[in-house]
Amino acid sequence: MKTLITSILILFISMFSFAQKAAVSGKVLDNTTKEAIPYVTVSIQDNTSKTAAVGVTDDQGMFNLEELPSGKLTISFSYIGYQNYIQTLEIISGKPKTELGIIFLHTDAVQLNAVEVVTGQKTSVSLKLDKKVFEVGKDVLSQNGSAHDVLNGVPSVTVSPTGGISLRGNSSVLVLINGRQSGLTQSNSLDQIAADQIERIEVITNPSSRYDASGSAGIINIILKKNKKSGFSGQVRLVAGSPNDSRLNPSINFKSDKINIFSNFGIRSSDYVGLYTTNQSTMNNGTPNYLNHVQNEDRHDDGKLIYLGADYYIDEHRTITAAFLKNATKDDDKTRLLYDYSNANHTRDSLLTREGKSLEKRDYNQFEFNYTQTFKKPSKKWTIDVQYDWWNSDKKWNLSTQRIYPEALAYPGIRTNSIGSSKDLLVQSDFILPIDTVSVFEMGVKAEIRKVSSQFLAEQQQENIWTIYQNIDNDLNYTETISSAYAQYSNKFKRFNYMLGLRTEFTKIAITDIKNTYNDDKKYNKLFPTVNLSYKFEGSTLQLNYSKRINRPPLYALYPFNELTDLNAQYIGNPDLNPSYSDVFELAFLKAWKKLTLNPSVYYQWESGYIQDFTYRENDIFFTTPINIQHEIRRGIELSTLYNPLKWLQVNLEMNFYHFTQKGSYQDENLDYSGKTFTGRLSTQVKLPSKFSFQGRYNFRGAQQNAQTRNDALQSLDFGLSKILLKDKATIVFDVTNAFDLRQNKSTTTGTDYYITENSIPNAARYRLSFVYRFNLTDPKAIRQASSANRN
């Protein structure tokens, strides 16, 4: 009996020892900047030089290797651009975990020189499970133009000919700049940001709770450049194009061990040529009427931008950052419209022309402040952010109309004036607390107050007197307050990672006007849970994500004031519009080989209160306004690939196919509809001899349709050629966007008594030539590299 008990006890101890398999964990940092280094290869060998375990550090530089044998082992760390680091360790039997703490890697000067030479060979797109990162500087086609040109080459992102941004075919996307909302993302203002000022773009299709819940499709985060070199450095870029696209973008920076000053400047003068044609058939009392409409646009934009800021390193744990952004634009547009009316016999009934001249001035300002405190415990961090935005706009239209046939007749002149202003205050604080080397707790609070006013006046000329036209004279005020808080916890168990989060957002909006036509107060409070699960295999990762999102109506969709440029059609906002809510599920897989990376994913989205445009006819004028319908269900599959068959060749292919079902009605019209569409992009980059590079990109969007409107397939072709010269200090780039004018948006809208076909070409093909010269006046070794602030 005693022998049996002893045997059982030995067996139990053996099983317990087996269950307590040893593990080693720690964190890898840059010795100089104290920044975490992701993707460092960590290898452990026993005393016979046999490999016991291999792994890589995560985005926070953390590593955790398990199932290690007891005894003396050797652990090594290797990463390109850094010296290899090796140390011995001993795994003691019965001790389940060994904590190595912080491992510092030193840069290797010889390897760094090599990295600078081959930088152009690195891929421009990084595929990760939680996001896709597009490096702007490494892509030939994204070195000229504006933020819209850059976004048009980003995986999963499409930009319409009118500047509308969609993610996976869904226009409900939140666009951030440096992780924050900005007035530069409103009303096509992204076109004012030079591509040269963008460092990278992050696409997050299923954000965690630390991000705002806005945008049912996800988040696009635009990261502006910030100095990372010691001493003085900078660059100057000159751009010339046809149609006119003249840009001057200098940037001068300075960095030392106590301060980092960064600056970007931009001066721009651009012309745009647009062509819009419409064929319309309507029924009046059973009699058909026809209209052929042609609109030519000549738009001229001038812009000046300054982005100036500094980081001050109080000590090794405390940093403050202050920055100021000013973007001033002046648009001078001319529009020529021709209206050719025909009767039932297709015989011309009348011919009208309208000349329009518009002058718009916009002035956007943004001040931002950040305080960051780190602690002795790695990754523990506390941040405070304050951002204040204010902008003003003033737009005037002068319209003259006359009839040419059957007899000449001049109509009274019309002029409109739209004056707007906004003030936006944001205060946010976040705290990151690592519990151990693999688990982290995060929490934060945020408050945003926005006040917008808009005055709109339309007048008609009666002889020498201007009188109010169609009773359009109003002043609308919009106030929005959003208070939010979140908490999330992440942990890791062997190959399994999980992150659970919960966010709450309380929103209060008020819309009032002088005439008391609109007086609406709305309050809504929702919880937004997020779940991120991932499992790592050998060389691949599987992830399952869920998030609840909200799509708040943008300001232009709420304003009831409408442009009067077109005699035949107008867009008006809907102050009664409500937000929509989405439940988003996504299953993604990432597999990387030496030359090929695959990132397929499937997703499902249920969006209640879905927002879409609705067109109706009233007094022979077509009005388009946004409305809420019951819901939309979207099911899709997406594939992103990177293929580097040769050192000098890179191919990027992405495809997105989804099926949707919409259900709802408006004004007694049934809007139920089911459909499907496909989008794709093929990009090829070739490294040629003598430091030349060539890139071609083909974009395709399949036909799209809802209950009222069908948009035909849309395609475009862009290509560019670059040359590095002057001992790698300068680059010259020639590029063509919308080659052969392929980018044409054709649509058909059908109603009970009308039929409309339209073809829109907002921008003609553009040819550009740019030259950039980079300089660094100080040897990087002469001044100690300072650590970067929290906002890179």
Side-chain angles (χ1 to χ4, degrees):
M1 183 69 177
K2 183 178 180 180
T3 303
L4 179 61
I5 293 175
T6 302
S7 300
I8 294 175
L9 183 60
I10 293 174
L11 179 61
F12 176 79
I13 293 174
S14 300
M15 292 175 62
F16 180 82
S17 299
F18 179 76
Q20 299 293 316
K21 293 179 180 178
V24 171
S25 60
K27 184 173 185 177
V28 181
L29 301 180
D30 183 290
N31 179 65
T32 304
T33 67
K34 304 302 186 294
E35 291 182 337
I37 309 176
Y39 311 119
V40 175
T41 301
V42 185
S43 177
I44 296 180
Q45 295 181 329
D46 59 20
N47 53 12
T48 65
S49 298
K50 181 180 178 181
T51 300
V54 177
V56 293
T57 58
D58 61 17
D59 288 342
Q60 286 76 44
M62 300 284 194
F63 67 90
N64 184 53
L65 301 182
E66 302 172 334
E67 300 182 4
L68 301 176
S70 59
K72 293 184 177 181
L73 303 172
T74 301
I75 185 170
S76 62
F77 302 84
S78 61
Y79 188 67
I80 187 169
Y82 291 86
Q83 300 175 12
N84 291 340
Y85 178 83
I86 301 175
Q87 79 172 51
T88 59
L89 62 93
E90 184 174 0
I91 301 298
I92 301 175
S93 180
K95 183 179 179 181
K97 186 169 245 184
T98 300
E99 174 61 58
L100 295 184
I102 302 296
I103 304 296
F104 291 105
L105 297 189
H106 295 258
T107 57
D108 189 327
V110 175
Q111 290 192 24
L112 279 178
N113 290 335
V115 171
E116 291 174 1
V117 173
V118 301
T119 295
Q121 301 288 346
K122 292 178 66 178
T123 59
S124 59
V125 182
S126 301
L127 301 178
K128 300 179 182 179
L129 256 300
D130 60 338
K131 60 186 174 185
K132 298 173 183 176
V133 181
F134 184 86
E135 300 289 344
V136 174
K138 301 178 180 67
D139 187 81
V140 176
L141 287 173
S142 299
Q143 297 184 39
N144 292 337
S146 68
H148 280 160
D149 297 295
V150 179
L151 288 170
N152 219 23
V154 175
S156 306
V157 180
T158 55
V159 182
S160 72
T162 56
I165 300 171
S166 298
L167 181 58
R168 287 178 171 171
N170 190 340
S171 60
S172 173
V173 56
L174 175 63
V175 181
L176 305 176
I177 296 180
N178 293 330
R180 302 176 180 88
Q181 296 191 53
S182 169
L184 288 176
T185 64
Q186 304 292 329
S187 302
N188 289 339
S189 295
L190 284 175
D191 198 45
Q192 314 300 329
I193 301 178
D196 178 62
Q197 294 171 342
I198 301 174
E199 179 176 305
R200 68 182 185 275
I201 294 179
E202 301 173 344
V203 178
I204 311 171
T205 54
N206 228 309
S208 66
S209 62
R210 75 166 67 95
Y211 294 98
D212 290 346
S214 299
S216 58
I219 292 175
I220 298 174
N221 188 20
I222 300 174
I223 308 296
L224 300 181
K225 286 183 178 178
K226 194 172 173 183
N227 182 36
K228 294 183 179 180
K229 292 185 178 180
S230 300
F232 283 99
S233 64
Q235 69 176 34
V236 177
R237 180 182 297 272
L238 294 169
V239 180
S242 177
N244 171 48
D245 191 7
S246 304
R247 301 173 188 257
L248 172 63
N249 299 115
S251 64
I252 301 176
N253 311 294
F254 174 78
K255 191 170 188 179
S256 69
D257 58 346
K258 294 296 291 184
I259 193 169
N260 173 32
I261 301 174
F262 49 91
S263 66
N264 284 296
F265 306 91
I267 300 176
R268 177 180 61 86
S269 175
S270 302
D271 292 327
Y272 304 87
V273 179
L275 175 63
Y276 308 83
T277 58
T278 302
N279 294 310
Q280 172 185 304
S281 174
T282 58
M283 294 291 293
N284 290 323
N285 299 320
T287 302
N289 296 280
Y290 305 96
L291 167 64
N292 293 325
H293 174 219
V294 178
Q295 178 177 345
N296 289 277
E297 284 186 346
D298 291 319
R299 310 189 306 274
H300 177 79
D301 297 351
D302 293 322
K304 297 178 181 178
L305 185 144
I306 176 174
Y307 182 48
L308 178 65
D311 303 315
Y312 177 69
Y313 309 103
I314 302 173
D315 52 41
E316 63 176 337
H317 290 298
R318 294 180 298 165
T319 303
I320 59 175
T321 299
F324 174 72
L325 171 68
K326 184 179 182 66
N327 182 37
T329 63
K330 181 180 179 181
D331 301 346
D332 188 356
D333 301 341
K334 296 179 181 179
T335 300
R336 297 179 300 277
L337 303 101
L338 176 67
Y339 301 86
D340 190 350
Y341 295 94
S342 303
N343 56 31
N345 299 321
H346 293 279
T347 302
R348 175 173 289 172
D349 181 71
S350 61
L351 185 65
L352 280 73
T353 63
R354 168 170 278 192
E355 298 279 342
K357 294 183 179 180
S358 169
L359 181 64
E360 180 177 12
K361 296 180 180 179
R362 294 188 298 265
D363 186 81
Y364 174 79
N365 306 272
Q366 175 180 298
F367 172 77
E368 55 187 74
F369 173 83
N370 169 266
Y371 171 79
T372 298
Q373 180 169 345
T374 59
F375 302 85
K376 291 183 179 180
K377 188 173 184 179
S379 296
K380 183 179 179 181
K381 185 166 70 173
W382 176 44
T383 62
I384 298 176
D385 289 281
V386 179
Q387 180 175 302
Y388 181 64
D389 304 342
W390 68 100
W391 59 260
N392 300 280
S393 67
D394 187 348
K395 185 174 184 178
K396 295 179 173 64
W397 267 105
N398 285 288
L399 303 168
S400 60
T401 310
Q402 60 181 343
R403 187 174 65 193
I404 300 176
Y405 178 85
E407 64 269 349
L409 176 65
Y411 291 89
I414 296 175
R415 68 184 186 186
T416 64
N417 188 16
S418 176
I419 300 175
S421 64
S422 173
K423 296 179 180 179
D424 189 355
L425 175 64
L426 180 150
V427 180
Q428 179 177 342
S429 182
D430 300 274
F431 184 67
I432 302 176
L433 177 63
I435 299 175
D436 52 37
T437 57
V438 294
S439 59
V440 179
F441 176 76
E442 300 179 49
M443 62 180 295
V445 293
K446 178 181 176 181
E448 183 174 7
I449 302 174
R450 189 179 195 185
K451 295 183 178 180
V452 184
S453 67
S454 180
Q455 303 173 24
F456 195 86
L457 172 65
E459 296 176 300
Q460 179 175 273
Q461 188 177 18
Q462 300 290 347
E463 296 181 351
N464 294 325
I465 300 176
W466 289 91
T467 59
I468 296 176
Y469 179 66
Q470 292 185 357
N471 202 32
I472 300 176
D473 179 16
N474 211 338
D475 187 350
L476 185 142
N477 294 301
Y478 174 85
T479 303
E480 179 183 70
T481 303
I482 303 176
S483 303
S484 59
Y486 77 91
Q488 69 181 25
Y489 174 77
S490 59
N491 204 343
K492 178 180 179 181
F493 179 72
K494 295 184 178 180
R495 297 173 180 264
F496 178 69
N497 295 266
Y498 65 89
M499 181 163 60
L500 308 175
L502 182 64
R503 186 179 187 91
T504 178
E505 293 188 354
F506 174 75
T507 305
K508 179 182 179 181
I509 66 172
I511 302 176
T512 60
D513 70 322
I514 291 180
K515 295 183 177 181
N516 203 31
T517 306
Y518 310 98
N519 193 341
D520 196 0
D521 290 341
K522 295 181 180 180
K523 299 178 182 179
Y524 41 91
N525 188 19
K526 286 286 186 178
L527 293 176
F528 301 92
T530 62
V531 179
N532 300 85
L533 310 174
S534 68
Y535 188 85
K536 292 187 177 182
F537 301 91
E538 291 297 332
S540 61
T541 307
L542 182 68
Q543 188 172 47
L544 177 64
N545 298 322
Y546 164 77
S547 64
K548 190 175 186 65
R549 314 284 299 164
I550 182 174
N551 178 28
R552 296 184 179 88
L555 285 177
Y556 76 86
L558 296 172
Y559 281 178
F561 307 136
N562 49 295
E563 292 281 3
L564 302 176
T565 310
D566 192 348
L567 284 168
N568 190 61
Q570 297 178 12
Y571 181 91
I572 56 175
N574 180 5
D576 294 326
L577 204 60
N578 293 313
S580 62
Y581 297 92
S582 299
D583 292 282
V584 186
F585 299 85
E586 180 179 4
L587 179 65
F589 180 73
L590 179 65
K591 174 66 175 179
W593 291 274
K594 186 176 181 180
K595 296 182 179 181
L596 177 65
T597 301
L598 291 179
N599 182 206
S601 60
V602 293
Y603 56 93
Y604 174 88
Q605 176 178 316
W606 176 291
E607 185 167 357
S608 59
Y610 180 72
I611 299 174
Q612 71 175 35
D613 286 341
F614 178 80
T615 300
Y616 62 95
R617 184 180 175 219
E618 188 175 286
N619 297 326
D620 290 332
I621 297 177
F622 290 91
F623 294 92
T624 299
T625 187
I627 63 169
N628 294 105
I629 63 173
Q630 185 174 332
H631 69 254
E632 182 195 70
I633 303 173
R634 186 171 297 204
R635 307 171 182 86
I637 180 170
E638 184 180 49
L639 174 64
S640 295
T641 65
L642 278 175
Y643 183 46
N644 293 89
L646 302 168
K647 291 183 178 180
W648 50 268
L649 177 63
Q650 174 188 311
V651 180
N652 174 218
L653 174 66
E654 58 175 291
M655 296 176 289
N656 177 35
F657 174 81
Y658 64 89
H659 178 274
F660 65 92
T661 301
Q662 297 171 347
K663 184 175 180 60
S665 62
Y666 188 75
Q667 293 185 354
D668 298 325
E669 185 171 340
N670 184 10
L671 299 177
D672 292 357
Y673 191 82
S674 294
K676 54 190 175 183
T677 193
F678 171 84
T679 61
R681 178 183 289 121
L682 175 64
S683 177
T684 302
Q685 191 155 236
V686 181
K687 299 296 178 181
L688 302 171
S690 301
K691 298 184 179 180
F692 278 96
S693 295
F694 173 82
Q695 184 181 8
R697 184 173 62 214
Y698 174 74
N699 295 285
F700 177 81
R701 188 209 68 194
Q704 296 179 332
Q705 188 168 352
N706 59 27
Q708 284 193 311
T709 303
R710 170 186 169 85
N711 291 291
D712 292 352
L714 180 68
Q715 59 183 333
S716 64
L717 180 65
D718 312 314
F719 57 85
L721 180 68
S722 70
K723 161 71 173 173
I724 299 175
L725 61 164
L726 299 181
K727 297 182 179 180
D728 298 340
K729 293 183 178 180
T731 304
I732 186 169
V733 179
F734 172 75
D735 78 304
V736 180
T737 58
N738 191 24
F740 312 113
D741 287 328
L742 294 177
R743 196 172 175 81
Q744 301 184 23
N745 190 28
K746 300 178 181 180
S747 65
T748 302
T749 302
T750 306
T752 54
D753 59 355
Y754 64 86
Y755 181 86
I756 304 172
T757 61
E758 297 177 283
N759 186 22
S760 303
I761 312 176
N763 299 313
R766 188 178 296 277
Y767 306 85
R768 282 183 298 232
L769 182 67
S770 74
F771 174 81
V772 59
Y773 181 80
R774 296 170 291 272
F775 59 89
N776 189 343
L777 304 180
T778 304
D779 185 350
K781 299 177 183 178
I783 297 179
R784 183 173 69 84
Q785 181 80 8
S787 59
S788 297
N790 79 306
R791 191 180 55 76
N792 292 320

